[in-house]
Every structure is written in C-alpha cells, then in structure tokens.
C-alpha cells in the first residue's frame, strides 16, 4: 500500500502522525500493522533566507513532528528550545527580528545551508536531515527549485503613487504571516520562480504510483495550493489512478488554527468546508479530489459537496491528540474503500 500526502506544516504533519499511528495499528480500529509506504510531498513555498540560513519551515515541521522533536506547545520548532542567538541578533539591530529562530533549530539550518552550498539538492539535504529524525515517511520537497510565496499588499509604510493610490508591494509570505499576522489584506499571492520550478525527483512517481492520495488539513492556498502550482503536479494528481481524498482544514466556518481565512479571502473563496471542496473541485470535473471529509459540525453541507460530484462524509475532525487523529485517518481509509 503506497500512500502519498501533500502537506504544509502544522496541520499536515499532525494528520500524518495520526495516519502513521493508524497504519501501525496503534489504536483499536487501526490497520493492524499494514505495511504501507507513506510519501509526504512538502510545501517549500514558505522557505526563506534568514541571517544567511536557508530555512524550510514546513519540511522541518513535518520532520520534527514525525521524528518526535517538535515543540508540542508551539507546534513548530523544537521542544525545550531557547532563543539566545535570536535575541543576540536583535541586540545588533539586524533584521528580521520577527522570525522565530531557535538555538537548536539553527543546527538544522546550518547543516542544510552548508549542504546546499556544497552542491547537494534540497531533496538530498532533506533525506540527510531525516536520517537523524527517522520520520517514518519519505519526505520530499515539492521542488528543488526556488518557488517562494510572496504576498501583494498595500505598502505598510503608507506610501502612495502619483495619483494618491496606495503603492502595492510584494513581501515574503513569512513576513506577512508572522510579522503582520496575515492582518494586512492580501491582494494576491505571487510564487517567485514557480513557472520554471520542476517537481523534485520522486514527486511525480509518488503521485503516479500511489494507491491513495491524501490532502490532509493543510492550508488550501499557501500549502496545498502552492504544491499544486508546481508545473506537472496538478496534472499528475488529475491523472493519478489512486483515489484522492481531502480533509477539511475549515471547521464551522473558521480555520482550526492559523489565518487560512485571510488566504482564502485573497483568492475569493469563502471560509467554509464546502467552499474549499468546491475550490479543489471533483476530479470528474477536472479538479483534484474524489472524496472530502468535513467535521460533524458541518454535517449540513455534505449534500452540497456531494452535488459537486465529490463523495463526502461528516466525522470528527479535531486533531486534539494522536488517538483522535488516527481515527480521522481511519475515516479516510473507510471513505475511500466505500
Ligand atoms: P502551516 O504550514 O503550519 O500553516 O500548516 P498547514 O498548512 O499544514 O495547516 C494549516 C491548517 O491546518 C489550518 O488551515 C488549520 O485550520 C488546519 N488545522 C489545524 N489543526 C486542525 C485540526 O485539528 N483539525 C482540522 N480539521 N484542521 C486543522
Ligand atoms: Ca506553512
């Protein structure tokens, strides 16, 4: 059984942790130790250079979460982290001061940055880092090429053009997300380099040879949407022989965590589980998904999703702990079998 999942950071990695627990038969209705090979295609649109270090927040969140090194409280970065280097850098007045760079985490970024500088690809570097963390999945970046999400906003300095209209500038996704908490209205997203980015080695194979493809509850715009923007990946998903099932990151009209509503608003999609399903569209209608899970609180929209040609059920979708998340993974497998 080969399962391929597209993933952002926190939502994606937590879901996959539950999926692995389910596959290992760790819970009563688990698979009883199914031998499954899970490949995770990680979003690298959030990647950024900070103080000379190459940082891949979503890949690291997957690696640390599945490898047991994640901070349970924050959901990103390392457990038992300190931020001495970050405050020392701030004392020098060097920007960016808003990026959460932990001391333990810096070791990962140093290894990555040096390996990239030595000529290794991001795929190779990610595999090398995973040799330590043993995430239990094959973790692939969506691309080895630079494809960085930027957000077009009104210049926060208030600058205007000669007609007095606000100047629009593109800032890095991380600056918009962390520094401005996604509160600056986004006009659009621009993924720098996406036109010439190629899927990383193994990505298209993992989609073509999968028995099941999952879109976990990751951000539909800046995580899954970015991965689908890499030329070739969308076509591969549309043409895959495996069923594609998605898990809604929107519950009761809001993101469970984070600011996905600001991202959806920017692309004109309502913040609802049904609107996100409609945005992905049925594969029978040229879209990406065959099945969609919504939370129990959204049970009334199941018929609307089914009317779009997408099979849909309402089940508990809150990843409160690994057991609850494993149950969600079990629901995915059942939905696909049905
Ligand atoms: P990021 O890169 O860290 O933002 O993480 P992802 O893109 O993987 O996931 C973010 C999404 O996960 C957000 O839109 C959240 O609404 C969603 N999410 C987080 N926790 C849960 C949960 O417990 N249940 C569901 N259904 N979605 C969740
Ligand atoms: Ca992310």
């Amino acid at each position: 059984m080969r399962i391929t999942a597209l993933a952002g950071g926190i939502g994606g990695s937590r879901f996959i942790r539950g999926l692995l627990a389910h596959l290992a038969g760790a819970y009563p209705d688990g698979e009883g130790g199914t031998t499954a090979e899970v490949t995770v295609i990680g979003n690298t649109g959030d990647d950024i250079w900070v103080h000379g270090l190459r940082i891949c927040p979503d890949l690291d969140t997957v690696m640390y979460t599945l490898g047991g090194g994640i901070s349970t409280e924050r959901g990103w970065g390392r457990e038992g982290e300190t931020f001495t280097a970050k405050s020392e850098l701030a004392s020098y007045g060097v920007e960016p001061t808003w990026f959460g760079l932990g001391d333990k985490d810096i070791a990962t970024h140093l290894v990555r940055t040096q390996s990239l500088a030595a000529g290794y690809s991001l795929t190779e570097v990610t595999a090398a880092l995973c040799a330590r963390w043993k995430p239990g999945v094959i973790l692939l970046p969506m691309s080895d090429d630079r494809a960085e999400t930027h957000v077009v906003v009104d210049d926060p300095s208030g600058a205007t053009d000669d007609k007095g209209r606000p100047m629009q500038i593109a800032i890095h996704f991380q600056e918009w997300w962390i520094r401005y908490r996604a509160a600056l209205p986004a006009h659009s997203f621009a993924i720098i380099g996406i036109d010439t980015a190629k899927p990383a080695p193994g990505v298209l194979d993992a989609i073509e040879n999968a028995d099941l493809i999952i879109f976990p509850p990751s951000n539909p715009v800046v995580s899954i949407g970015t991965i689908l923007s890499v030329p070739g990946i969308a076509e591969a998903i549309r043409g895959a022989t495996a069923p594609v099932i998605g898990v809604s990151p929107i519950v009761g009209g809001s993101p469970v965590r984070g600011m996905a509503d600001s991202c959806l608003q920017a692309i004109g999609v309502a913040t609802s589980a049904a609107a996100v399903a409609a945005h992905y569209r049925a594969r029978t209608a040229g879209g990406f998904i065959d099945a969609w899970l919504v939370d129990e609180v959204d049970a009334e929209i199941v018929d609307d999703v089914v009317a779009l040609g997408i099979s849909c059920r309402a089940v508990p979708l809150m990843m409160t702990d690994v057991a609850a998340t494993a149950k969600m993974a079990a629901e995915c497998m059942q939905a696909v079998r049905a």
Side-chain angles (χ1 to χ4, degrees), residues 8-9 43 46 58 173 223:
N43 171 41
D46 297 10
D58 285 356
F173 170 76
S223 292

Side-chain angles (χ1 to χ4, degrees), residues 195-317:
D195 293 345
T196 53
K198 294 172 295 299
V203 165
L204 296 182
D205 282 349
I207 296 168
E208 282 158 16
N209 300 322
D211 299 306
L212 172 62
I213 297 171
I214 306 181
F215 290 7
S218 280
N219 190 306
V221 186
V222 296
S223 292
I224 307 265
T226 309
I227 299 170
L228 292 172
S229 303
V230 177
I233 294 188
E235 293 74 5
I237 302 269
R238 288 196 192 99
T241 50
V244 184
I245 184 164
V247 181
S248 179
I250 305 298
V251 171
S254 330
V256 178
R257 188 190 159 111
M259 294 79 74
D261 44 345
S262 306
C263 303
L264 288 165
Q265 195 180 11
I267 62 160
V269 174
T271 305
S272 81
V276 173
H279 169 65
Y280 284 139
R281 293 222 303 278
R283 284 209 300 168
T284 50
F288 298 114
I289 55 172
D290 304 308
W292 186 240
L293 293 184
V294 300
D295 189 83
E296 286 176 316
V297 302
D298 294 314
E300 78 275 11
I301 63 150
V302 166
D303 292 345
D304 299 346
V305 176
V306 171
L308 299 168
I310 299 165
S311 124
C312 184
R313 1 175 129 181
V315 298
L317 288 190

Side-chain angles (χ1 to χ4, degrees), residues 53 105-117 125 128-129:
L53 300 174
D105 205 19
I106 285 174
T108 303
H109 310 318
L110 283 169
V111 174
R112 176 185 294 120
T113 306
Q114 293 184 62
S115 305
L116 290 171
V125 176
L129 294 170

